[in-house]
Amino acid sequence: MRGTIRTTIGVLAPLVLLLGATAVPAVAVPAGAVAAGTATNGWRPPPLDWQPCPDRPDDAALRCATLAVPVDWSRPRGATFPLALAKRAATGPGSRIGPLLVNPGGPGDSGVDAVVGRYERYGSPEIRSRFDLIGFDPRGIARSNPIRCSGALLAERPFAVPANQSEYRALVAYNHRLYDDCKANTGPLFDHVDSVNVAHDMDAIRAALGVRQISYYGASYGTLMGQMYAENYPNRVRALVMDSTMDHSGGTGAFVRNESIGAENSFAQFVAGCGRDPSCALHGQDVPGIFASLMRRADDGTLVDPVTGQSLTWHDLSGRVLRTFYGPDWNGLADLLVALSGSTPTPVGSATRPAGTAADELVKFPLPVMCQDWALPVGGLAGFHRYVDLAREVSPNMRGSAPAIMALGVCLGWKGEVSNPQHRLRVRTELPLLVVNSLHDPITPYEWAVGVADQLGRNGRLVTFEGPGHGVYPGTPCTTSYVDRYLVDRTLPPSGATCAAPPTPARMGADAERRDALPGLPGPVRPGWAAVVS
């Protein structure tokens, strides 16, 4: 189906999916030779002025601050912007180890929000008693000079997959307009939001805290930030956990293929789980057949969101389904498919444009981060279609990973520099990094975790959670114990460590609880192009 994706702009900020040369040279001297208060290129941070957080002024354990860091780390004495921070003090100060930086992913998720309001989901009670949790909003995100674009222009985005040369050229032209608009509304930071620059900001935080090394927990896209930190500052890593891991080493084909395999694998897990669970609304029915029927209706332009009345493309539907695999929320997905099956067909183009897209409204839009971290050339319209065909070949039910296909479209004809293109990891830390991943992860597929562990070699260790979902820690006693022992004692799990999945898969991973509530019925269907990585 061709047409315009109708999206509720308000859901763009908390994004979800993925996905060499570095933007700034790494510091040449080992961390042990650098004063704790010194960061990149000899840059020294201004003092941190910790104050009560505006959202929780009465929380005595919580403090917020901003740190003025360079817009461009290759010019450390140039213009700066305020990087937003939040600190939650360790509950057991007598046994305090130090700071634990946390980042929930995205691109687009707020580390400040994670520490302010969702801190229980970023560490076990033992971790919260031993570490000060430090959350930060990465550059271009939330409170840290967010990328802002015209809401009206975002609402005009063409369909994710151009059908012909005219539509392909129109998508490239649209992306050029969007680039210019976002850059004008964001300012100089717009071209400096890649994950290597974030890594330099992380070291600035370390320096401002006055410590020689930091511990770090990153989830999903936050794992890429952690990888870049370990690569640029290996001797400043005390311990580093990557939960639901990005593999930043493959080209366009590997990116599309692995993402699509992950989506299809999760669909198969849903079908099998629904078959085992009598409480599933589709128990005993032909779930793949029902889903295929809905996809055909989307192709015909007769599939609608029963709540909003908006027409849904196959890309919208596939993306919405993928989001329910995060928890996973299989019963919620079954209910959604039942509701969609009973929705009233409407003619193409009958849906109204959503509210909140006034011409003068600016909207936070973090996706340009991906276009600076990932080089995803497609080779013209024919090449674009070859990647779409590859996605459908390995993912016949889901038709591929909607976020991966969306990333190809968003970064198509990118006018700026890809500052941090894909490359194999070059990490030489004193303590190996810990990689944890679900075997059936819908968005950071298990193959990525295996690939990262392989690239790290003796500098990495992989723990496999043998269940579904996106986000492993804190989860089962097994996964929690492995991560806790690594962070507290720096004890590595044994090689080949695995953790069994509980018999009931409902919301096993922490991710489903700590991220924005997945919109179920009643409520709007989240458009697939707005759900990228996290």
Side-chain angles (χ1 to χ4, degrees), residues 354-499:
T357 58
D360 59 349
E361 181 183 8
L362 295 181
V363 174
K364 296 177 182 179
F365 186 65
L367 283 187
V369 172
M370 282 203 68
C371 303
Q372 295 182 36
D373 273 333
W374 296 82
L376 298 171
V378 298
L381 177 65
F384 197 113
H385 284 174
R386 280 194 296 271
Y387 290 121
V388 172
D389 290 344
L390 170 64
R392 294 192 180 198
E393 177 184 343
V394 299
S395 182
N397 289 289
M398 293 287 289
R399 299 191 187 179
S401 169
I405 294 169
M406 180 273 300
L408 297 187
V410 167
C411 299
L412 187 65
W414 177 248
K415 290 179 65 175
E417 180 183 0
V418 182
S419 310
N420 179 36
Q422 299 96 301
H423 60 276
R424 288 183 64 84
L425 278 173
R426 301 181 292 268
V427 173
R428 296 293 182 268
T429 54
E430 294 179 3
L431 179 73
L433 314 183
L434 185 62
V435 181
V436 293
N437 218 93
S438 297
L439 187 61
H440 307 291
D441 190 308
I443 200 70
T444 53
Y446 184 67
E447 288 78 7
W448 278 3
V450 172
V452 168
D454 177 67
Q455 292 164 56
L456 291 170
R458 61 187 299 176
N459 293 291
R461 187 64 56 87
L462 172 62
V463 174
T464 302
F465 171 62
E466 297 176 323
H470 182 58
V472 169
Y473 176 82
T476 67
C478 176
T479 57
T480 300
S481 176
Y482 278 139
V483 174
D484 283 1
R485 295 281 61 77
Y486 171 79
L487 286 174
V488 172
D489 304 324
R490 294 188 284 186
T491 300
L492 286 171
S495 296
T498 61
C499 290

Side-chain angles (χ1 to χ4, degrees), residues 262-314:
E264 189 72 10
N265 178 283
S266 290
F267 183 83
Q269 291 294 306
F270 161 62
V271 173
C274 201
R276 293 189 301 266
D277 183 3
S279 68
C280 174
L282 296 175
H283 179 69
Q285 300 186 49
D286 178 12
V287 177
I290 292 170
F291 187 62
S293 176
L294 292 174
M295 292 291 257
R296 287 193 296 270
R297 284 177 54 191
D299 291 335
D300 295 339
T302 59
L303 183 66
V304 297
D305 179 340
V307 175
T308 66
Q310 293 178 3
S311 296
L312 301 176
T313 68
W314 69 263

Side-chain angles (χ1 to χ4, degrees), residues 23-25 39-44 67-77 79 81 139 192 196-205 233:
V24 181
T40 303
N41 295 341
W43 178 86
R44 290 182 177 274
L67 177 63
V69 296
V71 167
D72 182 354
W73 274 103
S74 68
R75 296 178 175 86
R77 293 176 179 81
F81 74 97
R139 52 177 54 216
H192 303 280
V196 172
N197 270 303
V198 173
H200 294 314
D201 294 342
M202 290 167 59
D203 201 58
I205 296 171
Y233 302 98

